[in-house]
Amino acid sequence: MSAPSQSFRPDIEGLRALAVAGVIAFHFGLTGLPGGFAGVDIFFVISGYLITRHLAGEIAETGRLNFWRFYARRARRLLPAALFVIAATLAAGAVILSPEEQALYSKGAMFASAYMINLWLIRWSFDYFANDAANNPFIHYWSLSVEEQFYLAWPALLMLAAWLKPGRRTIILTVGIAGLVSFAVCAWLTQVSQPWAFYFSPLRAWEFAAGGLAAMAPARLFENRPRLGAASGLIGLLLIAVAYLTFSEDAPFPGFLALAPVAGTVLLLLAGAAGAREGVNAALALPPLQVVGKLSYSLYLWHWPVIVYAGMLVQDLTVAERLFCLALTLALSVFSYHLIENPIRRNGWLMANAARALVPALLLTGTGVAAAYGNAKFAVADLDPQQRSIAASAAIPATARASACVEGYDAVKPKTCVFGTGRRAIALFGDSHAEHWSTPLIDAAKKNGYRVETWLKSSCRPSRFSFFVAKLKRNYDECDQWREQAIAEIIQAKPSLVVISELALTSARKMAAGKGEPDTPDAAWRAGLRSTLTSLSKAGLKIAFIRDVPFNDENVDTCVSRALWRNQAPSLCDQTRADAANDKMAAVERAIVTSVPNASYIDLTDRFCNATICHVFINGKLAFRDQHHLATPFAKSLEPDVEKRVISKVGR
């Protein structure tokens, strides 16, 4: 059977435009495309289609593959522009980012240069206190890393299939089996451990395989069936539109949901391969889409650092400012395409043989990795004492977390830790917003002859209501089970006082803003809080409920570090009390707590806020390690307040 045609396909260029437009629209927030991130899946299918078509054609024609020539072509096409954008992003970061941020994100640049950042992000995504991924200017390189890892394995897989039994059917069978296994594991892990399903290249291989199977589809499939081709293209576009318009970043993705953009892309590719030149495929060949498609790689590389840095320099970007960022992205893309990407890709000397491309590619990659590593070290090599203090304050864990006494998401059975040897006990019960009080509470308890026993679990409020957790992409069922057992154990332990704190509902809503997460009704929260307090009170236990701390618009340690780096005052990061403290909801909370016998409401907001402003840098100390958790050194300084206002409730 003859090798597939290698001719240029304008519909594929248009598909690239559709893919990159979705990604940019999603990241820039310029249109109502909450699922625009699925554009990456379109890229994966296109890559699988083109690479499989090329490799299968070479195998059919020569019976072998020239691996070195293949890798040289990939290196010329992808590497120069990617490394140039990494270097430019690092250079801009030296001005915009604080030293600690420069060090952290330089590590990201190092992994991006080696096309392994997807593996780094898997580990990062499991860290509850990891810095916000939205600030990482290199995070978008994860998809390029997945593609490069695909390019390493795919030729060998196809060659193995041809070696086992020459012929098209063997390749189709091999690609099909690989795709099915990959999809099955991906769908399972999307529900169990979504970061692995999202970032791990073998679990995205099914999307490339889908493109590969489309490339191997017989030409006669749509032969003399123009209506079928047109219908295929229209259905394909509708599937992509459904993904763009209805998906959200909190959906369980990729898994079964990714079938929509993948199947849509496959249908469009098949329609184009059949020669459909009307309807959707004709639209994909329009000149504007051809221009955007040609620039799609450069647009993808530049768009993310542009919008990330703009968001750091200007809070709450307006539509006009976002449009300016879009124009800047386009200008940078045109520059890098015409001066770096295309000239190197088409360079005759580099194209002469594989070694001329691969040797410089290896040297460039090694240089990129070394430069990023060096930048990470250099950025923090000579920090002034105040910057070091901020970094250290943000890094010090609270006493309970330092002792591994805060349980993770998957725990359903409570683990109790004991601090001190006092005869009487104080229980600390709650989520990480109870945990950050552990340092001053334990210090104050020991001074007064008490021991502290902890029941703490990440993101698990003591109030009895079920809620959605973005990191899990589902309701937090483990919390419901853990909470009931914890309440039963606390009642059985009969402590002298139960200290409770939790993430405020208003703070949770701010964290979920714009993400499409299901909200918890006020009534469910009020009933859940009252239920927990009543159960403890009826058991004869005294309760001290500590009001949650103010919520800040951005990570405080980062904001203060940037301010000092730019010779600005830390007060630049202060928040208005109306935005940060939400006194109205606190008044409702206070009323519920004080209506329960034996329960007291502890309000320490005056240690952070005056009548109008909530401060983030207090008495020379960083108050918060991120947006809403206390920095441990500052929390320790609150020990006298905790002793006076909390420990005193024992003897009430």
Side-chain angles (χ1 to χ4, degrees):
M1 191 171 287
S2 61
S5 171
Q6 302 295 315
S7 59
F8 173 74
R9 291 264 303 272
D11 60 306
I12 291 180
E13 203 76 286
L15 262 176
R16 289 193 179 108
L18 191 63
V20 79
V23 173
I24 292 176
F26 170 70
H27 285 149
F28 277 44
L30 288 172
T31 61
L33 295 180
F37 57 85
V40 169
D41 301 84
I42 297 175
F43 279 127
F44 287 167
V45 178
I46 293 173
S47 293
Y49 180 88
L50 293 175
I51 295 304
T52 304
R53 187 178 72 166
H54 168 77
L55 295 174
E58 185 175 344
I59 291 172
E61 184 176 336
T62 67
R64 58 187 295 273
L65 284 178
N66 188 326
F67 288 92
W68 299 121
R69 185 172 62 191
F70 171 78
Y71 293 130
R73 189 183 296 114
R74 294 295 91 204
R76 292 197 316 270
R77 170 76 175 88
L78 302 174
L79 191 63
L83 290 178
F84 179 77
V85 173
I86 287 173
T89 304
L90 285 173
V95 178
I96 298 171
L97 301 171
S98 70
E100 285 291 327
E101 287 179 296
Q102 292 177 48
L104 174 63
Y105 298 138
S106 290
K107 294 177 184 176
M110 180 178 70
F111 284 98
S113 298
Y115 289 104
M116 293 193 299
I117 194 171
N118 60 319
L119 304 178
W120 184 59
L121 289 170
I122 290 173
R123 185 209 63 79
W124 208 31
S125 64
F126 283 121
D127 182 0
Y128 178 73
F129 288 103
N131 284 315
D132 191 352
N135 289 330
N136 184 340
F138 301 103
I139 195 172
H140 63 312
Y141 274 77
W142 76 267
S143 64
L144 304 181
S145 298
V146 168
E147 284 210 32
E148 285 298 322
Q149 290 158 24
F150 162 75
Y151 295 146
L152 284 176
W154 205 246
L157 181 67
L158 297 189
M159 197 61 222
L160 175 63
W163 176 76
L164 289 172
K165 186 177 181 180
R168 197 178 184 88
R169 289 184 178 180
T170 308
I171 292 178
I172 292 174
L173 184 62
T174 302
V175 170
I177 292 174
L180 283 173
V181 172
S182 171
F183 175 74
V185 180
C186 176
W188 171 63
L189 275 178
T190 297
Q191 303 297 328
V192 176
S193 185
Q194 189 263 352
W196 279 96
F198 194 91
Y199 290 121
F200 194 42
S201 52
L203 304 185
R204 288 295 192 125
W206 69 273
E207 301 184 37
F208 296 93
L213 290 174
M216 302 300 292
R220 64 177 180 275
L221 191 65
F222 289 97
E223 196 172 299
N224 299 320
R225 297 173 179 172
R227 291 185 178 179
L228 181 59
S232 173
L234 181 59
I235 294 171
L237 184 63
L238 288 174
L239 285 171
I240 291 173
V242 166
Y244 278 13
L245 293 170
T246 65
F247 290 2
S248 76
E249 59 187 310
D250 292 313
F253 196 86
F256 285 98
L257 288 179
L259 285 171
V262 169
T265 307
V266 166
L267 289 173
L268 283 164
L269 289 170
L270 289 174
R277 295 294 179 263
E278 298 178 355
V280 173
N281 287 80
L284 290 174
L286 290 172
L289 290 180
Q290 296 301 293
V291 173
V292 174
K294 185 182 295 184
L295 294 172
S296 60
Y297 181 54
S298 288
L299 286 166
Y300 184 82
L301 290 174
W302 283 112
H303 85 281
W304 184 243
V306 166
I307 196 65
V308 165
Y309 283 162
M312 291 178 180
L313 294 171
V314 180
Q315 279 195 357
D316 300 322
L317 291 166
T318 64
V319 172
E321 289 164 342
R322 291 174 190 273
L323 288 173
F324 174 80
C325 290
L326 183 61
L328 177 59
T329 298
L330 181 60
L332 291 169
S333 300
V334 170
F335 166 82
S336 62
Y337 177 80
H338 287 290
L339 295 182
I340 298 169
E341 181 184 339
N342 210 40
I344 294 177
R345 179 186 180 189
R346 305 293 186 189
N347 184 275
W349 187 85
L350 292 173
M351 294 171 68
N353 64 63
R356 290 186 181 182
L358 289 175
V359 171
L362 289 172
L363 291 174
L364 274 174
T365 300
T367 301
V369 171
Y373 179 81
N375 195 64
K377 297 297 183 183
F378 176 77
V380 292
D382 192 27
L383 282 181
D384 65 69
Q386 199 168 29
Q387 286 277 9
R388 289 191 183 278
S389 173
I390 292 168
S393 295
I396 299 172
T399 303
R401 185 167 294 276
S403 302
C405 294
V406 184
E407 296 181 271
Y409 289 101
D410 57 346
V412 295
K413 185 176 181 180
K415 167 189 173 183
T416 306
C417 291
V418 180
F419 298 88
T421 58
R423 185 173 57 85
R424 293 190 296 172
I426 294 175
L428 178 61
F429 175 35
D431 54 15
S432 60
H433 284 235
E435 170 252 318
H436 64 196
W437 289 107
S438 63
T439 298
L441 179 65
I442 290 169
D443 288 349
K446 287 180 178 179
K447 280 178 57 178
N448 289 270
Y450 293 94
R451 68 181 186 275
V452 173
E453 299 179 0
T454 62
W455 283 265
L456 302 168
K457 179 174 169 64
S458 292
S459 298
C460 186
R461 295 186 184 90
S463 296
R464 278 176 165 142
F465 64 90
S466 298
F467 53 92
F468 183 92
V469 171
K471 188 177 285 288
L472 299 175
K473 312 283 185 188
R474 58 175 172 80
N475 277 353
Y476 196 3
D477 299 329
E478 295 90 341
C479 174
D480 295 335
Q481 298 175 55
W482 180 92
R483 182 194 301 118
E484 291 309 311
Q485 291 191 55
I487 291 173
E489 289 183 9
I490 291 170
I491 291 173
Q492 186 176 18
K494 293 182 172 57
S496 300
L497 179 69
V498 182
V499 178
I500 298 176
S501 194
E502 64 183 20
L503 175 69
L505 187 61
T506 50
S507 297
R509 286 172 175 165
K510 290 177 183 177
M511 293 167 66
K515 295 182 179 180
E517 294 182 16
D519 189 21
T520 298
D522 287 0
W525 163 71
R526 290 194 298 266
L529 174 59
R530 186 180 299 279
S531 175
T532 295
L533 297 176
T534 300
S535 291
L536 296 171
S537 175
K538 284 184 175 179
L541 300 178
K542 294 178 180 178
I543 306 158
F545 188 99
I546 303 178
R547 176 182 174 179
D548 195 17
V549 298
F551 186 91
N552 301 281
D553 288 340
E554 59 183 316
N555 287 337
V556 170
D557 59 325
T558 299
C559 182
V560 172
S561 292
R562 284 183 199 157
L564 294 173
W565 181 244
R566 301 168 190 166
N567 294 316
Q568 297 170 316
S571 59
L572 183 74
C573 306
D574 289 346
Q575 308 280 303
T576 64
R577 178 165 182 143
D579 288 337
N582 205 315
D583 292 318
K584 288 184 179 179
M585 185 64 83
V588 175
E589 186 177 66
R590 179 192 296 271
I592 294 171
V593 173
T594 55
S595 70
V596 176
N598 300 321
S600 301
Y601 192 72
I602 313 300
D603 191 345
L604 294 169
T605 309
D606 60 338
R607 295 293 281 111
F608 306 91
C609 311
N610 57 31
T612 58
I613 299 294
C614 291
H615 302 287
V616 299
F617 202 69
I618 303 169
N619 297 329
K621 294 181 182 293
L622 185 74
F624 302 89
R625 65 170 176 253
D626 52 25
Q627 284 184 284
H628 50 89
H629 291 100
L630 293 177
T632 299
F634 178 75
K636 189 176 182 67
S637 73
L638 298 178
E639 183 268 328
D641 296 273
V642 171
E643 181 179 18
K644 179 180 178 181
R645 304 193 201 184
V646 178
I647 302 298
S648 63
K649 302 302 178 185
V650 178
R652 185 187 60 182

